[in-house]
Amino acid sequence: MAHIVKMQGMNKYFGSLHVLKDIELTVESGEVVVIIGASGSGKSTLIRCVNGLEEFESGQLTVDNRSLAPRGGNQRSLSAIRKEVGMVFQQFNLFPHLTVKRNIMLAPIKVKSTREADAEKTALRLLDRVGIGNQAEKYPSQLSGGQQQRVAIARALAMEPRLMLFDEPTSALDPEMIGEVLDVMRELAKEGMTMMVVTHEMGFAREVADRVIYIHEGQIVEQGQPDAVFDNPQNERTQAFLSRVLSH
C-alpha cells in the first residue's frame, strides 16, 4: 500500500522544550492509526504537524507525496496538503453566525470553488451521513455538543479528504454524547478512510485501530496491533500507562 504520511527523524521544539524527538512514523492508505499517551506527551503536536498547524524544526515530513520543509517552508505544498487533509479538533470551531448547512458549505466554496448548489447537496448528504440531516437550518448554539462535533466531522468530509486527523474529538463532550461521535468515526473506518486519531478512549482504540502508537515524552516507545499493545505491552512505560488508564 502507498503511504499517506511519512515522518523521518522529525523533531519539534517549543522554545527549549523538545516536544517531538526523532519521530519515525508511516501511515498507509486506508489505515487507522490511534495515538495514545499521557497529557503533554506530544500526541496532539504530532498530528498538528501533519497539516502544518505546527512547524517542526528538523527531519522530513511527507503527506500525500508532498514534502513539508522544516520551519514552515514550502507554502505551496502546505496549501495543497490542507485541501487533502481534514481535521477535527477538541473544540468544534463552528461559525456561530452560520447555519449548520452553511458551516459545511463554506470551505468547498471558498477553497475548491465548488458551485453553491453542489456544495449544498454535499452538505445535506454529509449531514445525513453523520445522522443529523434534520438539523441543517439550525445554528450551532441550538445543537448539543455531540451534534456540533458531528457537524465538524461533516465539514471536514466536505473537502473530500484523503486523510482525516482527529485531535481528542470527544474530550469536550459529556459522557452520554461521546458514543454518537465515536459511532461516526467507526463508520468512517469501516468505509476505508485513512485516519490518525489522538484519543483517551481505549475501547475505541482497541476496536477500530489497525495500529496503536504509544508516545511518552515526545518519543514513540511502542506500537503494534491493538491486542498486542493492550494485552501484552513490551515497554515498561506502556505497561505503567495502561495500568493507570485501564484500571479506571
Side-chain angles (χ1 to χ4, degrees):
M1 291 190 296
H3 64 256
I4 295 290
V5 177
K6 189 171 186 178
M7 299 175 176
Q8 296 174 285
M10 199 175 78
N11 288 275
K12 165 68 182 172
Y13 293 82
F14 288 127
S16 61
L17 181 63
H18 198 175
V19 183
L20 297 176
K21 303 172 182 175
D22 295 317
I23 297 293
E24 301 278 342
L25 175 63
T26 299
V27 179
E28 306 297 336
S29 178
E31 189 177 22
V32 178
V33 173
V34 175
I35 304 165
I36 63 173
S39 297
S41 60
K43 309 183 302 297
S44 294
T45 301
L46 187 148
I47 66 165
R48 287 170 68 88
C49 286
V50 173
N51 65 350
L53 290 176
E54 296 287 357
E55 298 177 359
F56 60 101
E57 274 66 45
S58 65
Q60 295 180 329
L61 171 59
T62 303
V63 183
D64 199 19
N65 294 317
R66 296 179 175 91
S67 294
L68 271 180
R71 299 188 184 90
N74 295 22
Q75 287 301 311
R76 181 178 292 182
S77 289
L78 180 57
S79 297
I81 286 168
R82 286 179 173 167
K83 292 180 181 180
E84 302 292 341
V85 178
M87 186 157 187
V88 178
F89 301 87
Q90 297 178 38
Q91 303 299 327
F92 320 125
N93 296 332
L94 302 175
F95 293 107
H97 63 291
L98 298 179
T99 65
V100 163
K101 181 176 71 177
R102 294 299 304 184
N103 263 280
I104 297 170
M105 292 170 61
L106 192 61
I109 291 172
K110 296 288 188 182
V111 179
K112 290 196 168 183
S113 302
T114 304
R115 292 192 316 150
E116 180 110 0
D118 291 336
E120 182 176 19
K121 288 179 183 177
T122 297
L124 294 175
R125 174 176 57 81
L126 289 172
L127 285 170
D128 280 336
R129 183 177 177 182
V130 299
I132 48 173
N134 59 343
Q135 308 293 331
E137 301 301 334
K138 290 187 177 179
Y139 289 87
S141 62
Q142 297 174 291
L143 304 184
S144 70
Q147 289 172 326
Q148 290 185 60
Q149 191 63 294
R150 283 188 278 170
V151 174
I153 294 172
R155 179 181 58 184
L157 291 173
M159 292 294 289
E160 299 180 333
R162 297 196 64 213
L163 168 67
M164 285 284 286
L165 308 176
F166 293 88
D167 185 8
E168 300 191 24
T170 60
S171 65
L173 299 178
D174 292 333
E176 66 271 19
M177 298 176 185
I178 290 173
E180 61 192 55
V181 173
L182 294 180
D183 284 345
V184 172
M185 295 170 65
R186 286 186 183 96
E187 287 303 312
L188 289 176
K190 288 178 183 177
E191 293 166 10
M193 175 63 74
T194 310
M195 298 162 61
M196 296 179 70
V197 184
V198 171
T199 185
H200 293 289
E201 300 294 333
M202 297 300 150
F204 172 82
R206 181 189 285 270
E207 175 189 352
V208 175
D210 295 303
R211 185 160 39 116
V212 173
I213 291 172
Y214 173 64
I215 292 185
H216 176 76
E217 294 182 353
Q219 293 181 298
I220 296 176
V221 300
E222 187 150 358
Q223 60 180 304
Q225 294 182 341
D227 287 349
V229 172
F230 286 114
D231 296 337
N232 190 28
Q234 300 300 300
N235 188 284
E236 62 183 18
R237 295 187 181 96
T238 316
Q239 295 167 5
F241 171 77
L242 290 174
S243 69
R244 292 195 304 270
V245 298
L246 297 179
S247 63
H248 291 86

